[in-house]
Amino acid sequence: MNAIEINNLTYCYPGCERPTLKNITVSIEKGDFLAIVGNNGCGKSTFCKTLNGLIPQFISGDFQGSVVACGLDTQEADVGTLARKVGYVYQDFENQIIRPTVLDDASYACLNYAMPDYVQRGMTALEQCGLSGKKDDFIWQLSGGQAHLLALAGALALGPDVLILDEPIAQLDPRHADTIYDLLREFNEKHGKTIIVIEHHTEYIADYCKHVMLLRDGELAWVLPAHEALTRVDELQASSIFPPQATIAAHRMKKLGALDEKTPLPITVEEGAQVFKLRENAPGPAKTESRASLLEAASFHDVQVSYRSVKGEPHVVFKNLNLTINKGDKVALIGSNGAGKSTLMKMMVGLLKPQKGDVKLGGESIRDVKPEALSRRISMVYQNPEDMFIKDSIGGDIAYAMEVRKVEGSAARTDELLERFRLTELRERDGRLLSGGQMRRASLAIGVALNPGILLLDEPTANLDIATRKEIMRTLEDMKDITETAVIATHDMQLVCEWAERIIVLCGGEVVADGTRDEIFGNADVIKKVGIRSPEIFSLGQAIDKDALCYTIDEFLERFEGRTNA
Amino acid sequence: MASNKMQQANQSQKLMIFVLTMALYGLATLFTELIPKFQVGIVEFSVEFFLFIPLTLAMLFDPMSAALGAATGELVFSEIMLGQFGGLGEIEKFVTVTIGVYVAGRLVADPKNRKLVGVAAFAGTALQLLLGTIVDILKVQFAIEDFEAVAGLPESVFFTEGFAFVNDLLFSGILFALLPTLFLVPRLHGKIEPLLGMAPRSEKISLGKLSAKAVLGCVIAFAVAIAAEFLAENGMAIIDWEADWAESGTAMAVAMLVAAIASVGVVLAMRTKGTKAAQKGV
Amino acid sequence: MKAVEKLSESIFDKLSIDFLRNQVLKNAYGNNDTVIAGLDPRILLVWYLFFGIVPWFVSDVTFLLGCFVLVAVTTLMAHVAGLILFLFGLGVFTQTGYLLIVTLLFGGDATAVAPLLVLTLKVATVSLASVTVFSGMDPDKLANGLMWYGCPERLSFSISYAYRMLPILMEEFQNILLSYRLRGNPPEHETLMGKIKYLIYQLKVIIHSFYPLMLNTAKRSRTTVEVLEIKGYRYAAINKDVKKIKLASLQVTNNDLLFLSLSFLWVAVTVLLSTLI
């Protein structure tokens, strides 16, 4: 039996000219683990909302064709009945959590549908998601990963046969991402649930999914088994989806003639290790060298910081932090959530004063300096770009800091920045209404407007699809010339490897490692202790040759070639 | 079937506006509640009104949902969450805010018309303040025994209340309602509606003129608010039993006993209800 | 003029948003393990009905003092955040204290002051009773209690939702203000003129920051309302069984009865005292 059956579905949002979904006919088998891929705006989320009846019952619009989910026609059955068959986890999952405490939220839907055993159901769902220890916590005490698990538990509590997750791991650090997918696999294999994810992290698709569905401009391109789908490299790239790095490496190797045409493309590290081997005349690993000078840009001296907590003792973030960042450093700050990355940045811009110790910028203590007085020397770009937009147009936002300081030639500089970040056409638009990548570029332009000597970036690539992420990485690479010193706090190891010249690893309020990428990624102990997920291509290189330190596909291709007998 | 669907969509949009206004205005009033009020001379300047938030939203969306959302937001965030709940008397604030915001929202047929937006914002605030002032004066008049007999008191009350009204209208009305609304409405118009999946309000899809029914509703609601105020603070003034009471201690003890017995009665009723429910469950 | 200075200093600096946020959170979430928080909301509401209404009817000073002491003790038991108590003091003053001064200014004498003092005591008692109940109780419990008494479903939903959203909204607001702080250029505020300008600047910033906040919150509420639909909120609002199940969790314990009878005892003693005096 099929979990979902769709016939000639065409849907158009109210007030829209063109239909978002066009003539889709597809059936999804019960027990499938399906990934939906496609470029931005191709109708992935819209498609998923037709499956639980939100479209057309809650969001009106022009709906043609039919959708049958678990035997229920979504136009006939009411949303409540459908919700018990099809669970949905939003991309902005934190808005999906409605009740103040954890168990309450997990059992909320069951209560609303008058199930007498609602607490039990909520509890079971929490146990399945590994949150049972947190049942009495307040929502705001949860980390991002835990909040996502709770949103999942809330959907799960109703006992749906189909689970839909919209970009489940976009906001999570790698460890939590693995947890979520392991859970989904368990639901799929043990409990026979049909799982549908919108996903562009193809390495996860390769590891976990059974089928892949490609949407192209609202039309169904194909549904294929995952292995076959991921090896259609050209088609995927045309929809700005990047297959796993192992696949791309093999694909490029074939084009170069270094790999036999008949060899099936690998999609995981394990498969890749069977396909590639070390070149005989491989060059020795290239050493990365820091270009930083020895002039001090910022430094921390015996810093102690703690936060007031709502209950009980203050929460200590740093006990005794000593750290110096030099002029010209391109630092990546890594470590799990709560390791103190944001706190460190807030201290540098003067928003947070340490209880003990001193923070210096250019050798001068900033204890008695107001943050607004520092803004020409140091600037911070938030993780959430929406918080950076305070004016009604991005042109206005970029100019704001310069105008209130009466900087000469601010209009010219605004034009220049708009041009540089490819925003000139968008200058009158409101930042919040732009696409993810445009928003991010605008926030970067705002950050560098005053030409600060030090630029701090909090998670500049979070919540972006891979294509946009690449674009932002290129922008960051360009920006290396205009900002002297830059610090990026991030979970994105690809960004770390390709951009950073110095990596600082924070763990439990201490600097546990500090060095070049070779020193950090080559150090298995640190990697394990902090829970870093190396880029796939790096892991692939290491799986074949322990001494290999390849951070990009180009580097990989220089060192490895295809096995002749693979 | 089709009309039914339209109705549903409407319901959900109303809920969205309600939630949005409640969260925003609630947050704002929570902060004003926390900022110490200060006085210059005899008059209290209170930066009390973030009224521009519901005013703006009422002009852009369904006025009734925005008005109710604002009143609920204030009640919930600043009164209940902070424990500043003033009992039945809060009904007064609830009703005056609802009426003020609703009327202002209904006045604006097209948010692009800046003049109309300004007039509506000012009128809404003035209405809300006026209703509040009327209630305030009545309140003091009834709360203090022999109000007229106390030398200087009536004059001082009328004077301070009158001055506060004019002052609030000039400060809150212009600075915190008129100007911010004029700033926000044109900027948000056409931008915020798509975020909620709605079509922007325009001349074509305006809500029609303020009907007599709506006006009547406002008047009745205001009457209820005044009544609630009296019940909350001046029950004795209406029923006039207070004088007999305070004179004899035994009478008071009896009254207390009655109150205590009443509450014990409620407790008992609750317990039996609980056991009954439990029995039913078995 | 001192007041202007004070306010101008306080909004951003001494009473930083961070401090306010911490106090509000402490008040809303930090005291859910006190005796008061453990009581049944229905009992507390009955208790509040008494101490919130009866003092208005009575002018006997002994009785009012007795009630005041009781509600002061319960307020302490509820571990109410310091800022709230400060606001309580301020609130009492602004409600009647200033009338006192004005009456004296307009030629009133001691006869005018006495009723005002009694009024002040009434206001204080009633306010503290409400601080005990509404600050001391977990808002979610309060919502259930109100629902038991037949309050509209929309209100109890609003309370729970506010309880859940408050920290997030505050953080968002704080972030936007931080953006202004980091990129803005506030006027120098050493002189008096500067301070007034600074105050105006701050007010302007707060008003302007609602523009981004409105848009950001609008984005959120759309998802929230969709989820409410999926999670059966509308279904529950019209279903009587749901209400029954929800309220089944409320239970009157010995603690509640003890609390009631102790309060009753204290009031009886006060009444006795007042008749004796």
Side-chain angles (χ1 to χ4, degrees):
Chain A
M1 184 194 149
N2 288 328
I4 308 275
E5 275 189 61
I6 298 173
N7 250 315
N8 289 317
L9 169 67
T10 299
Y11 175 73
C12 186
Y13 275 106
C16 267
E17 304 269 301
R18 287 182 320 128
T20 310
L21 300 174
K22 274 172 262 174
N23 210 14
I24 293 179
T25 300
V26 70
S27 45
I28 300 167
E29 244 176 76
K30 202 163 182 280
D32 201 356
F33 197 141
L34 176 79
I36 300 179
V37 298
N39 55 348
N40 281 339
C42 71
K44 294 177 299 227
S45 297
T46 310
F47 175 77
C48 286
K49 281 183 187 174
T50 62
L51 303 184
N52 66 349
L54 267 182
I55 294 175
Q57 296 205 24
F58 192 70
I59 305 165
S60 47
D62 184 23
F63 184 95
Q64 285 162 18
S66 75
V67 177
V68 177
C70 304
L72 297 167
D73 186 329
T74 58
Q75 274 176 289
E76 307 284 320
D78 64 278
V79 176
T81 318
L82 279 163
R84 282 176 248 187
K85 294 283 180 198
V86 183
Y88 197 97
V89 180
Y90 282 78
Q91 190 182 358
D92 53 339
F93 55 85
E94 63 277 308
N95 299 322
Q96 187 171 0
I97 298 168
I98 289 163
R99 303 288 297 175
T101 56
V102 171
L103 177 56
D104 235 15
D105 189 73
S107 49
Y108 182 63
C110 299
L111 172 64
N112 278 338
Y113 291 119
M115 303 177 180
D117 57 340
Y118 70 102
V119 180
Q120 197 49 50
R121 280 169 179 264
M123 201 56 220
T124 313
L126 286 184
E127 271 161 20
Q128 286 174 335
C129 296
L131 278 180
S132 48
K134 298 259 168 205
K135 71 184 175 74
D136 295 320
D137 281 18
F138 287 113
I139 301 309
W140 48 270
Q141 291 174 318
L142 300 180
S143 70
Q146 289 165 341
H148 191 268
L149 286 171
L150 176 57
L152 179 60
L156 209 60
L158 283 170
D161 297 329
V162 180
L163 265 179
I164 303 170
L165 295 94
D166 194 344
E167 307 215 7
I169 60 171
Q171 299 188 42
L172 305 184
D173 62 34
R175 204 186 294 193
H176 281 109
D178 289 349
T179 317
I180 284 276
Y181 266 101
D182 285 339
L183 264 177
L184 292 179
R185 174 184 277 162
E186 195 184 312
F187 294 148
N188 180 246
E189 287 174 359
K190 273 202 191 145
H191 306 290
K193 294 195 190 297
T194 311
I195 312 274
I196 300 172
V197 289
I198 297 178
E199 186 58 81
H200 40 239
H201 290 89
T202 44
E203 65 270 27
Y204 282 92
I205 298 180
D207 283 345
Y208 293 93
C209 297
K210 293 179 184 164
H211 288 88
V212 178
M213 169 170 155
L214 176 69
L215 283 180
R216 212 184 279 141
D217 298 324
E219 281 176 273
L220 179 72
W222 39 251
V223 182
L224 291 172
H227 201 287
E228 195 187 336
L230 291 176
T231 50
R232 296 202 171 188
V233 177
D234 295 324
E235 263 179 278
L236 290 176
Q237 285 186 335
S239 285
S240 21
I241 296 150
F242 291 82
Q245 286 183 312
T247 318
I248 299 181
H251 183 73
R252 282 179 52 185
M253 223 172 253
K254 273 188 188 173
K255 279 192 180 158
L256 293 171
L259 185 67
D260 187 10
E261 274 298 323
K262 285 182 205 120
T263 319
L265 291 174
I267 61 169
T268 60
V269 171
E270 292 75 34
E271 286 178 23
Q274 304 301 314
V275 172
F276 303 111
K277 70 173 176 33
L278 199 61
R279 278 178 194 264
E280 271 160 29
N281 54 350
K287 279 268 175 259
T288 7
E289 272 171 37
S290 173
R291 284 183 289 171
S293 67
L294 289 173
L295 281 170
E296 178 185 313
S299 58
F300 298 82
H301 304 273
D302 304 319
V303 164
Q304 184 188 328
V305 193
S306 55
Y307 281 114
R308 278 184 283 234
S309 59
V310 168
K311 234 181 198 173
E313 293 293 301
H315 170 66
V316 180
V317 185
F318 293 113
K319 246 192 208 141
N320 185 20
L321 176 75
N322 282 294
L323 182 67
T324 303
I325 291 164
N326 294 321
K327 274 199 176 144
D329 261 351
K330 306 284 183 250
V331 179
L333 208 54
I334 60 177
S336 56
N337 289 335
K341 300 191 294 283
S342 302
T343 309
L344 195 103
M345 291 188 159
K346 276 189 189 160
M347 279 196 285
M348 286 169 79
V349 291
L351 285 176
L352 195 73
K353 306 284 179 200
Q355 274 97 33
K356 279 189 200 144
D358 217 353
V359 181
K360 291 182 178 171
L361 283 189
E364 175 195 342
S365 169
I366 57 167
R367 180 164 281 280
D368 300 317
V369 187
K370 296 213 169 196
E372 51 266 31
L374 292 173
S375 50
R376 285 189 153 201
R377 288 155 64 188
I378 185 162
S379 147
M380 179 159 100
V381 176
Y382 298 157
Q383 172 173 3
N384 183 1
E386 288 171 4
D387 291 336
M388 302 276 294
F389 302 132
I390 51 184
K391 295 273 144 193
D392 61 342
S393 68
I394 53 167
D397 260 321
I398 294 172
Y400 179 73
M402 293 186 281
E403 276 169 8
V404 294
R405 284 180 177 68
K406 309 208 166 57
V407 175
E408 261 177 59
S410 62
R413 174 144 175 90
T414 305
D415 290 340
E416 184 200 318
L417 283 170
L418 284 167
E419 185 69 43
R420 174 160 201 136
F421 289 90
R422 284 167 289 135
L423 296 164
T424 308
E425 271 96 75
L426 307 167
R427 70 178 300 158
E428 292 308 322
R429 296 269 299 278
D430 188 288
R432 264 161 288 273
L433 309 178
L434 301 177
S435 75
Q438 292 166 341
M439 248 199 255
R440 205 59 78 149
R441 289 206 309 266
S443 72
L444 293 174
I446 295 168
V448 297
L450 285 175
N451 210 359
I454 309 174
L455 182 65
L456 308 178
L457 303 158
D458 197 355
E459 294 285 0
T461 56
N463 295 335
L464 297 179
D465 64 49
I466 310 280
T468 319
R469 208 178 95 198
K470 295 223 174 218
E471 179 200 322
I472 294 298
M473 276 164 67
R474 268 201 308 277
T475 311
L476 291 173
E477 199 62 42
D478 289 346
M479 280 168 64
K480 276 188 173 172
D481 314 332
I482 48 175
T483 47
E484 196 179 19
T485 313
V487 180
I488 292 183
T490 186
H491 293 306
D492 182 347
M493 291 307 145
Q494 197 103 35
L495 173 67
V496 173
C497 291
E498 290 179 22
W499 178 87
E501 289 162 13
R502 177 180 171 193
I503 300 170
I504 295 171
V505 187
L506 287 178
C507 185
E510 277 175 62
V511 176
V512 291
D514 181 353
T516 62
R517 58 185 188 182
D518 295 345
E519 285 162 3
I520 303 294
F521 286 98
N523 185 340
D525 291 340
V526 171
I527 296 276
K528 214 174 159 200
K529 183 175 172 193
V530 189
I532 298 170
R533 188 182 165 121
S534 318
E536 192 181 24
I537 200 76
F538 184 85
S539 310
L540 181 57
Q542 295 246 304
I544 305 166
D545 171 23
K546 278 223 167 4
D547 296 326
L549 298 166
C550 313
Y551 301 97
T552 62
I553 292 174
D554 290 325
E555 285 168 9
F556 183 86
L557 293 181
E558 275 173 30
R559 267 183 87 76
F560 297 96
E561 60 184 357
R563 288 173 195 248
T564 36
N565 58 346
Chain B
M1 190 69 206
S3 69
N4 189 18
K5 261 179 204 159
M6 280 299 289
Q7 192 58 39
Q8 270 187 17
N10 252 329
Q11 280 297 327
S12 74
Q13 292 175 348
K14 279 182 181 164
L15 184 60
M16 249 184 272
I17 297 155
F18 178 85
V19 168
L20 177 65
T21 325
M22 177 183 82
L24 286 169
Y25 190 56
L27 183 74
T29 51
L30 189 135
F31 280 113
T32 50
E33 195 83 26
L34 292 176
I35 295 168
K37 300 183 174 77
F38 71 107
Q39 282 180 291
V40 174
I42 50 165
V43 175
E44 184 189 4
F45 285 93
S46 46
V47 190
E48 178 158 41
F49 296 119
F50 272 101
L51 209 58
F52 68 87
I53 297 167
L55 284 175
T56 304
L57 293 168
M59 288 172 198
L60 294 170
F61 301 113
D62 175 45
M64 201 57 201
S65 306
L68 283 176
T72 313
E74 179 163 15
L75 182 73
V76 168
F77 277 76
S78 74
E79 312 295 334
I80 290 181
M81 299 288 276
L82 285 183
Q84 308 278 310
F85 189 64
L88 222 47
E90 296 297 345
I91 292 182
E92 172 223 326
K93 215 185 247 171
F94 192 95
V95 171
T96 56
V97 168
T98 309
I99 294 177
V101 171
Y102 175 69
V103 168
R106 284 301 294 262
L107 284 176
V108 177
D110 180 8
K112 281 204 191 96
N113 184 341
R114 287 178 66 103
K115 227 182 254 165
L116 196 59
V117 168
V119 170
F122 194 73
T125 319
L127 184 62
Q128 194 266 338
L129 285 171
L130 186 68
L131 297 179
T133 307
I134 293 172
V135 174
D136 272 355
I137 291 177
L138 293 176
K139 197 159 77 182
V140 184
Q141 223 165 49
F142 282 94
I144 296 172
E145 297 162 66
D146 307 325
F147 178 75
E148 300 289 337
V150 180
L153 189 59
E155 289 85 351
S156 65
V157 169
F158 285 128
F159 181 76
T160 44
E161 287 297 342
F163 193 89
F165 171 72
V166 173
N167 165 67
D168 280 356
L169 187 61
L170 292 181
F171 268 78
S172 309
I174 295 176
L175 278 180
F176 299 108
L178 181 67
L179 295 181
T181 313
L182 278 179
F183 168 81
L184 282 170
V185 170
R187 276 181 176 70
L188 288 169
H189 185 57
K191 272 185 197 158
I192 195 167
E193 293 93 344
L195 290 179
L196 296 179
M198 289 176 219
R201 190 193 288 187
S202 68
E203 206 79 71
K204 266 184 238 158
I205 47 169
S206 74
L207 304 133
K209 289 275 170 283
L210 207 55
S211 66
K213 220 164 138 193
V215 174
L216 191 71
C218 290
V219 171
I220 291 173
F222 185 56
V224 169
I226 295 180
E229 272 297 322
F230 289 163
L231 269 180
E233 304 195 2
N234 313 295
M236 73 286 189
I238 297 171
I239 312 167
D240 204 14
W241 47 336
E242 204 259 349
D244 302 334
W245 251 39
E247 275 163 23
S248 90
T250 31
M252 182 120 101
V254 169
M256 277 209 38
L257 263 177
V258 170
I261 289 169
S263 38
V264 169
V266 170
V267 171
L268 286 177
M270 233 152 49
R271 296 196 67 186
T272 48
K273 205 172 172 180
T275 41
K276 259 186 206 160
Q279 277 166 357
K280 256 187 210 165
V282 169
Chain C
M1 283 302 116
K2 264 231 161 105
V4 181
E5 266 175 46
K6 251 194 201 148
L7 185 69
S8 120
E9 284 295 314
S10 66
I11 292 183
F12 270 157
D13 303 337
K14 289 206 187 76
L15 274 178
S16 68
I17 297 288
D18 199 39
F19 171 75
L20 292 184
R21 176 165 170 245
N22 181 270
Q23 286 283 309
V24 170
L25 293 188
K26 225 176 201 159
N27 192 55
Y29 310 92
N31 48 9
N32 56 353
D33 49 4
T34 60
V35 179
I36 299 287
L39 295 176
D40 186 285
R42 295 166 299 180
I43 296 288
L44 270 176
L45 284 170
V46 169
W47 184 89
Y48 169 70
L49 229 52
F50 182 84
F51 289 99
I53 293 177
V54 169
W56 288 119
F57 293 90
V58 183
S59 298
D60 185 277
V61 177
T62 321
F63 175 78
L64 286 176
L65 268 178
C67 287
F68 178 76
V69 170
L70 180 69
V71 292
V73 170
T74 54
T75 308
L76 287 181
M77 276 163 65
H79 287 240
V80 176
L83 183 66
I84 305 296
L85 291 180
F86 170 73
L87 286 172
F88 151 76
L90 213 66
V92 169
F93 177 77
T94 49
Q95 275 193 48
T96 58
Y98 82 102
L99 265 179
L100 204 82
I101 297 169
V102 172
T103 311
L104 287 176
L105 271 177
F106 273 81
D109 49 23
T111 48
V113 174
L116 279 175
L117 276 180
V118 173
L119 186 63
T120 309
L121 198 57
K122 286 180 181 185
V123 169
T125 308
V126 171
S127 307
L128 276 187
S130 93
V131 167
T132 301
V133 172
F134 294 102
S135 274
M137 209 178 353
D138 174 344
D140 212 40
K141 251 180 146 176
L142 174 71
N144 276 345
L146 286 173
M147 203 201 274
W148 194 87
Y149 285 113
C151 275
E153 211 285 330
R154 188 61 78 85
L155 179 68
S156 56
F157 161 73
S158 300
I159 294 176
S160 307
Y161 183 70
Y163 190 40
R164 178 250 174 288
M165 282 305 288
L166 185 62
I168 294 176
L169 282 173
M170 283 186 130
E171 194 177 327
E172 189 133 359
F173 188 52
Q174 198 180 359
N175 280 343
I176 291 167
L177 286 181
L178 283 185
S179 278
Y180 269 102
R181 177 139 205 206
L182 287 179
R183 276 149 60 196
N185 189 22
E188 290 294 327
H189 44 282
E190 300 308 319
T191 62
L192 181 67
M193 235 0 246
K195 284 202 198 269
I196 293 173
K197 268 191 193 156
Y198 187 48
L199 179 66
I200 294 171
Y201 171 79
Q202 287 174 333
L203 289 174
K204 243 184 172 166
V205 163
I206 288 178
I207 289 172
H208 282 214
S209 57
F210 271 91
Y211 167 75
L213 196 63
M214 274 181 180
L215 288 168
N216 291 355
T217 316
K219 262 188 180 176
R220 280 180 194 284
S221 45
R222 183 168 189 183
T223 307
T224 303
V225 171
E226 272 182 35
V227 171
L228 280 175
E229 177 73 13
I230 298 177
K231 292 203 172 181
Y233 167 71
R234 225 155 34 83
Y235 178 83
I238 49 167
N239 190 324
K240 290 225 169 69
D241 288 342
V242 176
K243 196 170 156 185
K244 240 185 232 159
I245 297 174
K246 229 181 230 176
L247 297 179
S249 62
L250 294 178
Q251 247 180 355
V252 177
T253 62
N254 287 340
N255 257 353
D256 297 304
L257 297 177
L258 190 68
F259 178 75
L260 268 193
S261 43
L262 279 180
S263 302
F264 181 56
L265 189 67
W266 176 257
V267 172
V269 168
T270 324
V271 171
L272 194 68
L273 269 178
S274 80
T275 49
L276 287 180
I277 288 170

